[in-house]
Amino acid sequence: MAVEKLFKDEATEEKGERARMASFVGAMAIADLVKTTLGPKGMDKILQSTGRGHSVTVTNDGATILKSLHIDNPAAKVLVDISKVQDDEVGDGTTSVVVLAGELLREAEKLVATKIHPMTIISGYRMAAECARNALLEKVVDNKEDAEKFNSDLMKIAMTTLSSKILSQDKEHFAKLAVDAVMRLKGSTNLEAIQIIKKPGGSLKDSFLDEGFILDKKIGVGQPKRIENAKILVANTAMDTDKVKIYGARVRVDSMSKVAEIEGAEKEKMREKVQKIIAHGINCFVNRQLIYNFPEELFADAGVLAIEHADFDGIERLALVTGGEIASTFDNPESVKLGHCKLIEEIMIGEDKLIHFSGVEMGQACTIVLRGASFHVLDEAERSLHDALCVLSQTVNDSRVLLGGGWPEMVMAKAVDELARKTPGKKSHAIDAFSKALLAIPTTIADNAGLDSAELIAKLRAEHHKEGSTAGIDVISGFVGDMAELGISESFKVKQAVLLSATEAAEMILRVDEIVTCAPRKREDRM
């Protein structure tokens, strides 16, 4: 006897063909959405939120676009996730990874239509991905030993990463900023030591790199504007006790003089606290919370620079950079770790005053100050620069470098093609499909630049059949160009992450043969 109905009222299930169809279509739609942002001539998208203030984001970063979408299709969510992971892991290649996964599924759909089992396709894809990775490994260049060459490699990688972003006009300037900042890190991938401050005004060219740390605050009234050999106490404590801090407390007094006594006692309490703080032997006090006039006056009399309301991000980073710890009690000065820096002074950027800490304990710390026409430009510039910094910090650790401009995809496609010819059985169709999917990236780069992609890819293919070819797409001139001469390089780590993530995501979506959607939860009647 057949079961009439298994699920609750509103739950749905899609089986077999329809489920596969739904997941393929969703994934391909997502890939087509971000496809136009790929490459140096990629276009930007405007994302407008429907929340309060209707905030607008203009971006060309695949992960940012996909993060902001609210998607129903389950397969599309898998692609959004891989682009997020790519962004966290290596920073760049967020669009490529989605485009490649989408193409792999597009090819797989054709194969499934010709009655090839998804598992066969998956095992073919596995073999192809392994073969493609080995093909890249044979071609990598590693200049770690030669500092000068390695530096120029980093510059090229930074310029290639930035060329598809808003900073492409001043990419040399920003590539230099990014390389300098990353070289200071001396091989750590902790980007917290690099602070990015955005100040509207000026043009993007006015951005600069400054050693040390800049805090976006003003120095208080009557306090020293410049301190050398500063000892800094970073704190998170209340410096505003001229209120009774008990919720709902009421004090009844029978004369005004008693009120004065209470106020006097509070002032005394505050004075004691300030003296405890000064007893640490400091000459700069940075607090996360606000500091009232009275304690500020006391600090000024003692010649201590007091900075209030340093936001949490600023405080955490300041403690990290100056080598101090955030304190909140001041009874035993010997247990508090103070921060140190050589010089604190006030600087002007545009119209704003900021506090500059130079010669800090953590030598690798630096601040990049971005200038630009509007907040949208600055936000996008920060995202672009962040991508470049991520890629460079990964490359410093894993110094293998490849050429860019569609060259790695051609190399992989050629190797995968050869593998397909040697492989017997149905798997060879899947391997062949993989090589077609790899060509999607150079094709898209050419399409976005308005070039004739079919013509260009055919030329590239012919070029790559010669041994040791360095040909790729030169979108500026619109022809096949020599990537080594043009200085277009990419990090091996990024390409490897793109290849492996895309294959795994495509595999995961291919395995699906049923989608069960849960019934929405009903609110129970509380009567």
Side-chain angles (χ1 to χ4, degrees):
M1 183 184 113
V3 179
E4 280 290 305
K5 196 165 159 200
L6 191 59
F7 298 114
K8 269 192 178 174
D9 283 351
E10 292 172 32
T12 55
E13 62 169 335
E14 303 270 349
K15 280 203 165 131
E17 279 308 298
R18 289 191 57 182
R20 198 164 288 133
M21 190 68 202
S23 44
F24 282 159
V25 169
M28 288 190 269
I30 284 287
D32 288 342
L33 176 77
V34 292
K35 213 181 221 176
T36 51
T37 65
L38 191 71
K41 296 271 175 109
M43 305 304 266
D44 290 11
K45 309 261 183 246
I46 287 187
L47 310 170
Q48 188 174 14
S49 82
T50 51
R52 266 208 331 254
H54 290 281
S55 63
V56 171
T57 314
V58 183
T59 180
N60 146 322
D61 177 37
T64 312
I65 296 169
L66 294 180
K67 247 189 284 198
S68 321
L69 299 180
H70 291 287
I71 298 172
D72 256 359
N73 187 301
K77 284 194 174 146
V78 174
L79 291 198
V80 174
D81 278 354
I82 58 168
S83 91
K84 266 191 205 156
V85 168
Q86 180 80 9
D87 195 33
D88 298 342
E89 189 65 28
V90 284
D92 198 20
T94 48
T95 313
S96 318
V97 73
V98 177
V99 172
L100 183 55
E103 284 303 318
L104 286 172
L105 290 168
R106 186 162 298 171
E107 293 296 330
E109 186 185 20
K110 295 174 195 164
L111 294 176
V112 171
T114 58
K115 298 281 187 289
I116 294 178
H117 193 281
M119 283 303 162
T120 316
I121 302 175
I122 287 174
S123 65
Y125 276 5
R126 277 274 165 92
M127 287 164 66
E130 191 53 40
C131 162
R133 188 168 164 266
N134 293 339
L136 282 188
L137 275 172
E138 282 167 25
K139 303 261 181 176
V140 290
V141 182
D142 193 341
N143 289 331
K144 188 121 200 201
E145 310 309 316
D146 183 347
E148 211 167 89
K149 269 188 185 165
F150 186 50
N151 218 354
S152 82
D153 272 354
L154 287 180
M155 276 297 283
K156 284 177 191 166
I157 288 176
M159 273 158 47
T160 307
T161 300
L162 292 172
S163 64
S164 63
K165 310 265 194 292
I166 192 171
L167 302 177
S168 60
Q169 303 309 316
D170 314 311
K171 61 182 175 193
E172 288 180 20
H173 178 67
F174 282 100
K176 194 160 174 14
L177 287 189
V179 172
D180 285 353
V182 169
M183 286 316 255
R184 280 171 182 249
L185 292 179
K186 301 188 182 65
S188 92
T189 51
N190 179 12
L191 293 178
E192 274 186 8
I194 301 175
Q195 181 200 18
I196 297 180
I197 286 188
K198 298 176 287 196
K199 281 278 164 221
S203 72
L204 283 169
K205 268 206 181 67
D206 302 340
S207 308
F208 61 91
L209 177 97
D210 208 333
E211 62 95 28
F213 182 86
I214 297 179
L215 195 62
D216 198 352
K217 289 283 163 254
K218 294 184 181 60
I219 289 180
V221 185
Q223 292 172 350
K225 299 275 186 214
R226 177 190 167 94
I227 291 182
E228 290 182 8
N229 291 333
K231 295 191 183 66
I232 306 164
L233 176 62
V234 186
N236 181 5
T237 181
M239 299 296 283
D240 53 353
T241 34
D242 46 359
K243 311 184 195 67
V244 177
K245 278 278 182 97
I246 305 166
Y247 186 64
R250 291 166 68 183
V251 183
R252 284 211 176 137
V253 288
D254 44 18
S255 71
M256 270 318 274
S257 56
K258 290 274 171 58
V259 178
E261 274 176 35
I262 294 176
E263 280 181 358
E266 281 181 352
K267 272 196 160 171
E268 260 324 297
K269 203 173 142 197
M270 193 73 241
R271 183 174 278 133
E272 273 175 30
K273 187 168 186 177
V274 171
Q275 268 150 9
K276 273 185 195 163
I277 291 173
I278 294 170
H280 287 63
I282 57 169
N283 47 15
C284 174
F285 175 68
V286 184
N287 192 15
R288 182 183 168 198
Q289 300 174 29
L290 84 176
I291 301 176
Y292 266 20
N293 302 11
F294 178 60
E296 193 170 57
E297 212 176 286
L298 295 176
F299 280 128
D301 291 345
V304 172
L305 168 60
I307 302 166
E308 62 173 1
H309 260 319
D311 53 352
F312 198 62
D313 193 34
I315 265 221
E316 285 267 311
R317 204 173 254 153
L318 183 64
L320 172 90
V321 166
T322 54
E325 278 172 7
I326 299 177
S328 48
T329 55
F330 311 101
D331 290 331
N332 33 0
E334 61 282 345
S335 68
V336 175
K337 218 170 134 192
L338 297 180
H340 295 280
C341 81
K342 295 223 173 68
L343 176 67
I344 300 180
E345 59 186 344
E346 196 171 52
I347 56 169
M348 293 276 293
I349 295 177
E351 311 225 320
D352 299 342
K353 290 182 176 170
L354 299 97
I355 304 170
H356 182 215
F357 297 78
S358 53
V360 290
E361 190 98 339
M362 188 170 163
Q364 55 255 59
C366 60
T367 300
I368 295 175
V369 179
L370 290 178
R371 308 297 310 275
S374 73
F375 279 115
H376 298 139
V377 174
L378 286 174
D379 288 344
E380 178 59 3
E382 182 187 25
R383 278 189 288 272
S384 314
L385 198 60
H386 183 258
D387 281 5
L389 291 173
C390 286
V391 175
L392 290 175
S393 66
Q394 297 288 347
T395 313
V396 170
N397 278 358
D398 180 348
S399 55
R400 292 173 290 184
V401 176
L402 297 161
L403 296 174
W407 176 86
E409 284 78 16
M410 297 309 289
V411 168
M412 293 193 277
K414 184 183 168 193
V416 172
D417 255 347
E418 281 164 13
L419 176 71
R421 293 203 191 105
K422 291 180 209 155
T423 312
K426 282 185 181 174
K427 277 186 201 165
S428 64
H429 293 296
I431 298 173
D432 202 31
F434 195 93
S435 98
K436 276 195 204 123
L438 282 170
L439 295 183
I441 289 187
T443 308
T444 310
I445 292 177
D447 281 342
N448 286 347
L451 305 172
D452 181 354
S453 57
E455 169 92 355
L456 271 177
I457 300 301
K459 278 188 187 161
L460 257 186
R461 237 191 181 150
E463 281 294 318
H464 272 266
H465 267 283
K466 302 172 190 163
E467 270 307 301
S469 163
T470 54
I473 295 177
D474 176 8
V475 283
I476 309 302
S477 68
F479 298 107
V480 171
D482 184 344
M483 294 293 114
E485 269 174 38
L486 292 167
I488 298 177
S489 302
E490 294 190 58
S491 158
F492 168 73
K493 195 156 183 187
V494 173
K495 277 292 162 208
Q496 171 178 297
V498 166
L499 179 72
L500 301 181
S501 310
T503 314
E504 282 172 13
E507 237 176 70
M508 191 165 169
I509 295 170
L510 265 177
R511 286 170 181 265
V512 174
D513 76 329
E514 183 166 359
I515 300 174
V516 179
T517 317
C518 211
R521 280 176 62 182
K522 295 221 169 48
R523 290 192 172 166
E524 283 124 22
D525 295 332
R526 293 248 159 78
M527 297 303 284

